[in-house]
Amino acid sequence: MFGLTAEQEQLRKEVRAFAEREIAPHVAEWDEKSEFPHEVVKKLGAMGLMGVIFPEELGGAGMGYVEYVLAVEELSRVDGSVGIIVASHNSLCTNHIMLAGNDEQRRRWVSKLASGQWLGAWGLTEPGSGSDAGGMRTNAVRRGNGWVLNGSKTFITNGTFADCALVLAVTDKEKGTRGGISGFVVERGTKGFRSGKKENKLGLRASDTAELIFEDCEIPAENLVGKEGEGFKDAMRVLDGGRISIAALSLGREREALDAA
């Protein structure tokens, strides 16, 4: 029979207490104003919740998926916006670098993301393509000792405020999803990279959802994460973990609805 350990039960209590103390009093205001909870995100980083599933030597909390699910569930029980911020940051951006990146890339980026110093975004969806990626138009072409990105992404969680984004782009149009898509890290401040329209949503309004725009955006060769052409395969692995966190978020919202009823 499955059961939680004493440490896991303690984590649940701590996250629940934090959510009720630091988040609950502000939920209505944040939602009404579509206000991103910057201070809460910083505090979550200090608690280790922006890097739950990543090793301590890389700035993470060194815990597993059970602990991660408990944290996302308890945060989402009070505010799904905070839940999706944490889920997207952990499961998508940071985890893509952790799964597909090399040791140097993990030291360079995962350490900042998992510790909460940086906020991450993950760019797959475009106006004409979702997780199938078949219609992806954002492309990356080699130029000198690097790559040049052109295109845009839409509906990107943390898109306005992310310090870096893991972006999927077409590197070989002929191969498509079977070896023609690659992943790149683009840091905030890179010339040619900017955030676009911020969505005015019907729900989870304190969570930031925005466009990412790339116009002759030059990035160095070492920002390629994983092998060239294997970005789509890596993205599908990343989404497996992402679905776990979204299930946890949904469970938290359902619990809140039951409590309210």
Side-chain angles (χ1 to χ4, degrees):
M1 181 181 293
F2 174 78
L4 299 177
T5 66
E7 291 79 9
Q8 290 165 345
E9 289 285 9
Q10 181 60 30
L11 175 68
R12 182 197 285 277
K13 290 178 183 177
E14 289 176 3
V15 177
R16 179 176 297 180
F18 175 87
E20 292 177 350
R21 181 181 68 250
E22 302 285 346
I23 300 173
H26 308 287
V27 171
E29 180 184 4
W30 290 343
D31 188 79
E32 197 171 306
K33 295 181 179 179
S34 292
E35 181 178 339
F36 189 83
H38 291 284
E39 291 304 314
V40 160
V41 171
K42 289 180 182 178
K43 291 176 181 178
L44 290 169
M47 292 174 66
L49 298 185
M50 300 303 282
V52 183
I53 54 177
F54 304 106
E56 292 181 62
E57 59 267 27
L58 290 175
M63 294 187 279
Y65 269 85
V66 173
E67 289 83 0
Y68 180 38
V69 164
L70 292 173
V72 172
E73 179 189 348
E74 288 298 332
L75 293 171
S76 302
R77 186 180 69 87
V78 172
D79 190 357
S81 292
V82 176
I84 195 70
I85 292 167
V86 171
S88 178
H89 172 90
N90 274 272
S91 291
L92 302 182
C93 178
T94 312
N95 204 34
H96 193 130
I97 302 170
M98 188 71 196
L99 289 175
N102 57 40
D103 288 342
E104 173 57 32
Q105 290 171 332
R106 293 184 188 113
R107 284 192 294 268
R108 180 179 175 186
W109 291 307
V110 172
S111 60
K112 292 178 181 177
L113 293 162
S115 63
Q117 292 176 257
W118 278 18
L119 182 67
W122 193 68
L124 174 65
T125 304
E126 297 184 4
S129 68
S131 57
D132 62 349
M136 186 180 295
R137 294 187 176 182
T138 298
N139 65 86
V141 297
R142 291 184 180 273
R143 181 183 295 174
N145 188 32
W147 296 85
V148 179
L149 270 66
N150 279 285
S152 65
K153 300 294 180 177
T154 192
F155 303 135
I156 305 304
T157 303
N158 303 334
T160 303
F161 304 109
D163 296 283
C164 72
L166 190 296
V167 180
L168 280 300
V170 176
T171 48
D172 188 332
K173 189 175 180 180
E174 297 302 316
K175 293 181 180 178
T177 58
R178 296 179 179 272
I181 293 174
S182 304
F184 301 88
V185 170
V186 186
E187 296 184 9
R188 182 70 63 185
T190 302
K191 186 178 179 181
F193 168 42
R194 62 185 173 88
S195 299
K197 176 187 175 185
K198 175 181 168 65
E199 298 295 338
N200 183 22
K201 301 177 295 183
L202 293 175
L204 304 186
R205 288 168 52 80
S207 162
D208 171 63
T209 305
E211 293 177 316
L212 302 179
I213 298 172
F214 308 93
E215 297 172 328
D216 292 329
C217 177
E218 296 188 30
I219 57 172
E222 58 265 28
N223 285 33
L224 170 69
V225 176
K227 295 179 180 178
E228 182 182 341
E230 294 191 1
F232 180 75
K233 181 174 71 175
D234 293 334
M236 294 303 101
R237 288 196 295 154
V238 169
L239 284 171
D240 285 341
R243 292 183 179 106
I244 293 172
S245 61
I246 295 304
L249 186 154
S250 302
L251 181 59
R253 299 308 301 141
E254 290 161 4
R255 285 186 51 225
E256 194 279 333
L258 182 60
D259 292 343

